[in-house]
Amino acid sequence: MKNSLVIACDFPGRKELEGFMDFFGNEKLFLKIGMEMFYQEGPGIIHTIKDAGHDIFLDLKLHDIPNTVKSAMKGLAKLDVNMVNVHAAGGRAMMEAALEGLEAGTASGNKRPACIAVTQLTSTSTSQMNLEQLIPGEVRNSVLHYAALTRHAGLDGVVCSSHEARDIHKKLGQGFLTVTPGIRPSGSDLHDQKRVATPSNARMLGSDIIVVGRAITSNPDPYKAYMSIRKEWEGAAV
Ligand code: C5P
């Protein structure tokens, strides 16, 4: 799973996703399906993507009481995706419950989906975090705190910005996954992202997996954009 390039498929529905996938021929992809798509299309879209042979990160960012998250994860495990996630802000008990649910829902002999936690969204600025969440200090401190909590709960890694990846590895070990959105090839539109990096910078900063959405999905030639980002990501020195 390390070194993957995940495409964030933030499309409104199946038609748009299938149109996008057509650009890639037989290329095997790692696709992130988020709430926008899943709430419209339901589990059927997961079966379609799996049948086409692609890997899936089901990005539903669960955040609720432990019992609800446990039951929800039990159901999601049955979809046999590669990765799911929660918000670390839900707390340690909630994250432990998520793992219990995943283990309970995974068919025997199968590998449970990797479970990671969102620390601070890459769209969150320090001032927003200070004023709206009433968390003082820098975003990176909050990210490191949530990452440690996530590790203690037994999860496999976190979603963070590439700028925090190295410190997270230093503190919590190389095996703890850093999954990083906010990736922009140099010179491209930042959209709503604040803490961004280019694919090669992300590699040098210690990202294990990059998540790229609009830089690929909004490009008139998504295949070319994907190949170019992948080349930069895979070719960069660690
Ligand atoms: O289009 P873009 O490359 O900005 O897409 C980033 C993707 O990563 C989106 O699907 C967004 O929901 C997701 N994400 C994020 N920041 C997080 C967690 C997930 O941008 N902290």
Side-chain angles (χ1 to χ4, degrees), residues 8 10 32 59 61 118 120-123 159-160 181-184 191-193 211-215:
D10 296 320
K32 181 171 87 68
D59 175 22
K61 300 187 180 74
V118 176
Q120 289 288 347
L121 295 170
T122 42
S123 56
V159 186
C160 59
I183 303 298
R184 294 290 181 274
H191 305 105
D192 49 357
Q193 297 284 17
V211 176
V212 187
R214 286 161 290 184

Side-chain angles (χ1 to χ4, degrees), residues 50-99:
K50 279 187 62 76
D51 290 347
H54 303 304
D55 288 334
I56 302 176
F57 169 17
L58 185 53
D59 175 22
L60 299 180
K61 300 187 180 74
L62 272 61
H63 187 173
D64 209 316
I65 60 170
N67 188 55
T68 301
V69 168
K70 181 176 170 180
S71 308
M73 283 299 190
K74 190 172 172 189
L76 293 184
K78 299 200 169 93
L79 297 176
D80 195 24
V81 295
N82 304 80
M83 192 187 285
V84 295
N85 62 356
V86 295
H87 268 288
R92 183 167 172 168
M94 186 206 75
M95 291 194 271
E96 288 170 349
L99 281 187

